[in-house]
Amino acid sequence: MDDPTPSRITRDGIRLFEAADFGGMHKAGRLTAEILDSIAPLVEPGRTTAEIDRAINDAVDAAGATSATIGYKGYQHASCISVNHVVCHGIPGDKRLKDGDILNVDVTVIVDGWYGDSSRMYVAGKLSRKAERLIQVTHDALMKGIEAVRPGNTFGDIGHAIQAYAEAHRMSIVRDFCGHGLGRVFHAPPNVLHYGRPGTGATLEEGMFFTIEPMVNLGRPETKVLADDWTAVTRDKSLSAQFEHSVGVTATGAEIFTLSPAGKFHPTWS
């Protein structure tokens, strides 16, 4: 579906939105963040990921919003829930969480035609030291990427900031998946890589909307997609973590649309 928003397109095919459009993105992003806040108490040993997904679906319906993922390329759930060595696109199911499991929950909602897309990490029970370190590095790598968002910088600057931080902590960046443009469509240019060289790629301009969503592995970066054609896992079965924000480029930096109202974006914050 074509994006109906009247706006300019850069020579790289990236849409530039108007100042008034930031409000729509904030509204959609806030609902996504509120839903992710609300499920935190549900993440506990013995709970199934299908139960968590049903709670997310109910929250989307209660808000009068629409899930962007139900029906997307045949997908039938209101979230992707990726546990332990699942990198992304994990399908909610009846397997019960165990003590120490870590999981990424990814939710996208549509509010008044605008897409709010975010994911964050959770832990069921007691967090192991190695998982805690992975989650912290992944969170901080995302924030390093967001710090690089300002007009005149490039998408290579964002990727380099993320890659350099993660690799300095002896972890690896997944290269098979990336962030993306969004607004009044789910996925649009650009592809936002989480690795790269400074000064390369398209130049950032005020009015760009996109996600930054690094996936970081404790082991090697390679992934494979399972037979369900959705679930991506680490090839070496090492733990993986991911955090995602939707952001807009302002005259001076970045606005984050998906900030947690309850301060629960990081699983050790409450």
Side-chain angles (χ1 to χ4, degrees):
M1 182 177 71
D2 292 334
D3 187 334
T5 307
S7 48
R8 294 172 293 135
I9 305 290
T10 73
R11 64 181 182 181
D12 297 295
I14 304 169
R15 188 172 296 279
L16 302 178
F17 292 88
E18 306 300 326
D21 299 329
F22 279 72
M25 289 297 289
H26 273 294
K27 189 174 180 181
R30 182 178 177 88
L31 177 60
T32 301
E34 288 173 343
I35 291 170
L36 289 171
D37 285 351
S38 73
I39 63 167
L42 301 180
V43 180
E44 57 187 0
R47 183 86 62 175
T48 70
T49 54
E51 290 177 83
I52 297 170
D53 182 71
R54 282 194 292 272
I56 292 168
N57 194 20
D58 290 346
V60 174
D61 290 344
T66 302
S67 168
T69 54
I70 295 176
Y72 178 76
K73 296 185 177 180
Y75 195 76
Q76 293 302 314
H77 302 275
S79 64
C80 294
I81 302 180
S82 303
V83 182
N84 292 334
H85 74 290
V86 178
V87 175
C88 61
H89 303 158
I91 301 174
D94 295 328
K95 187 174 181 179
R96 298 192 180 277
L97 295 172
K98 303 186 300 295
D99 186 52
D101 281 348
I102 63 171
L103 52 154
N104 175 272
V105 182
D106 191 342
V107 173
T108 308
V109 301
I110 310 169
V111 178
D112 298 332
W114 295 97
Y115 284 70
D117 187 1
S118 183
S119 79
R120 64 179 79 159
M121 296 300 295
Y122 301 81
V123 58
K126 183 174 175 57
L127 186 62
S128 71
R129 181 67 189 98
K130 68 177 182 179
E132 181 180 21
R133 183 168 169 268
L134 170 65
I135 288 170
Q136 189 66 55
V137 169
T138 307
H139 171 272
D140 293 348
L142 167 63
M143 301 315 292
K144 292 289 185 184
I146 292 174
E147 287 173 8
V149 176
R150 67 179 67 91
N153 276 5
T154 68
F155 283 95
D157 293 327
I158 297 173
H160 176 75
I162 293 168
Q163 179 184 7
Y165 187 83
E167 292 181 351
H169 289 82
R170 303 179 65 84
M171 298 181 193
S172 63
I173 292 290
V174 171
R175 298 184 176 219
D176 297 332
F177 302 95
C178 61
H180 54 88
L182 81 171
R184 296 183 72 88
V185 295
F186 197 172
H187 297 99
N191 288 335
V192 182
L193 305 181
H194 304 118
Y195 60 93
R197 291 183 291 112
T200 61
T203 300
L204 297 167
E205 297 184 45
E206 185 176 357
M208 290 180 174
F209 295 166
F210 50 85
T211 70
I212 306 177
E213 46 185 295
M215 288 143 272
V216 179
N217 297 345
L218 272 180
R220 293 186 55 80
E222 292 83 10
T223 71
K224 64 178 180 180
V225 176
L226 302 184
D228 59 27
D229 290 330
W230 285 103
T231 308
V233 301
T234 56
R235 283 190 174 273
D236 62 6
K237 302 295 179 69
S238 63
L239 286 177
S240 185
Q242 179 186 21
F243 284 90
E244 174 185 14
H245 271 316
S246 296
V247 303
V249 183
T250 69
T252 57
E255 275 189 29
I256 301 175
F257 299 129
T258 46
L259 288 172
S260 165
K264 294 182 178 178
F265 188 67
H266 188 293
T268 63
W269 299 344
S270 59

